[in-house]
Amino acid sequence: MDDPASCETTDDYDVRQWDTREGCEVRQILDRVADKWSLLVIALLDCQSLRFSELRREIDGVSQRMLSVTLRHLERDGLVSRTVHPVVPPRVDYALTPLGRTLHETIKALVTWTEDHQREIAEARAAYDRGREMMDA
Amino acid sequence: MDDPASCETTDDYDVRQWDTREGCEVRQILDRVADKWSLLVIALLDCQSLRFSELRREIDGVSQRMLSVTLRHLERDGLVSRTVHPVVPPRVDYALTPLGRTLHETIKALVTWTEDHQREIAEARAAYDRGREMMDA
DNA sequence: CAGAATCCCGAGCGATACTG
DNA sequence: CAGTATCGCTCGGGATTCTG
């Protein structure tokens, strides 16, 4: 945790590369991961394939349009696969690709971190807000 | 990687809790992590404390306003500490808190994932776009 | 059922000007 | 130097409508 080695400047960890401009993939993936619905979709597809309508039912509050564009983005990035069954009525199944599955594993670490520290965060916010109230008074 | 155990429904990993509504911290932290500048700030403060003007100089393209609100958010969440030195001209140092440092460790995993897979993603996008072009023709 | 197209509003963010 | 305050614009995303 307090490993001093983590503070060394390593060649494979240049902060500048997180920049938005140029060919920075990190920013793009981060935007994808963090956009409003992608995370839910990825999590739901973790170990099952789902149809459009099933996803829509599971993800409370998502609009038809946003589910559509979210899936299109994830498909384009190779994170989700789209399978059309030529039947009537049309049936389309979505599933995580192997690549998408590895991303999900990584994301879980972040979710776990949040769960582990949400109490600390809540306390920090309360303390901060209390300080601000004092200022006003 | 293909560990079937990772597909089990565990009590501490309910996807529904990632929802925006209710007291969901994951969404809030994710929004913080993913917003346009927080990540850069956290990365730059990893092993050093920096002044406002230093951060501004390091982070190419950030406006004074956005650096300010970003730091205020990070401070409120207990991720960054703010130290005012009562001198003229005023001097304020920002540094990562222990909590912020653990978050940075977690974020690094995501950055590493992106670096490891950005070629696959690029290829997936190229393939997708090629498919779309065929449609139009 | 799955989704593309259109319209529209409000949050996010940049630019600018001002302050302790 | 280290901010805050105000204005204005862009664009993400919701509601609605239309198609294969």
Side-chain angles (χ1 to χ4, degrees), chain A residues 35-104:
Chain A
D35 77 7
K36 204 172 179 184
W37 306 109
S38 292
L39 203 61
L40 277 305
V41 171
I42 291 173
L44 280 168
L45 293 179
D46 186 27
C47 296
Q48 57 187 337
S49 76
L50 291 173
R51 308 176 56 179
F52 189 89
S53 52
E54 289 171 334
L55 279 168
R56 187 155 186 218
R57 210 172 315 118
E58 292 288 340
I59 303 175
D60 192 63
V62 72
S63 67
Q64 192 180 35
R65 178 182 180 277
M66 287 318 296
L67 181 56
S68 183
V69 311
T70 298
L71 286 168
R72 219 58 63 233
H73 285 160
L74 293 172
E75 186 193 357
R76 190 173 108 97
D77 287 351
L79 299 168
V80 159
S81 66
R82 179 173 180 272
T83 310
V84 181
H85 302 278
V87 297
V88 284
R91 176 192 179 93
V92 180
D93 282 321
Y94 291 94
L96 236 50
T97 63
L99 184 64
R101 237 170 281 134
T102 67
L103 175 59
H104 188 209

Side-chain angles (χ1 to χ4, degrees), chain B:
Chain B
M1 208 61 86
D2 274 20
D3 179 17
S6 68
C7 289
E8 291 170 6
T9 302
T10 53
D11 292 335
D12 59 349
Y13 187 65
D14 184 359
V15 166
R16 314 304 176 82
Q17 293 308 311
W18 294 11
D19 200 15
T20 317
R21 288 147 287 280
E22 310 171 48
C24 178
E25 307 292 335
V26 176
R27 185 76 253 167
Q28 296 177 29
I29 290 301
L30 205 59
D31 286 343
R32 176 78 57 254
V33 167
D35 76 10
K36 204 173 179 184
W37 307 109
S38 292
L39 202 59
L40 278 304
V41 171
I42 290 173
L44 280 169
L45 293 179
D46 186 27
C47 296
Q48 57 188 336
S49 77
L50 290 174
R51 307 176 55 179
F52 188 90
S53 52
E54 289 171 336
L55 280 168
R56 187 154 186 215
R57 210 173 313 119
E58 292 287 340
I59 303 176
D60 191 63
V62 72
S63 68
Q64 193 179 35
R65 178 181 180 276
M66 285 319 295
L67 181 55
S68 183
V69 310
T70 299
L71 286 167
R72 221 57 63 231
H73 284 159
L74 292 172
E75 187 192 355
R76 189 172 108 97
D77 286 352
L79 299 168
V80 159
S81 66
R82 181 174 179 270
T83 311
V84 182
H85 301 279
V87 296
V88 282
R91 176 193 179 92
V92 180
D93 282 320
Y94 292 94
L96 238 50
T97 63
L99 184 64
R101 237 171 280 133
T102 67
L103 175 59
H104 188 210
E105 290 304 313
T106 308
I107 291 173
K108 279 183 188 174
L110 194 59
V111 174
T112 301
W113 181 92
T114 305
E115 289 171 346
D116 290 346
H117 298 283
Q118 62 185 13
R119 185 172 300 273
E120 292 176 68
I121 294 168
E123 287 170 6
R125 286 180 181 167
Y128 181 92
D129 293 344
R130 246 182 282 117
R132 298 282 296 182
E133 280 176 19
M134 303 298 285
M135 303 288 289
D136 296 344

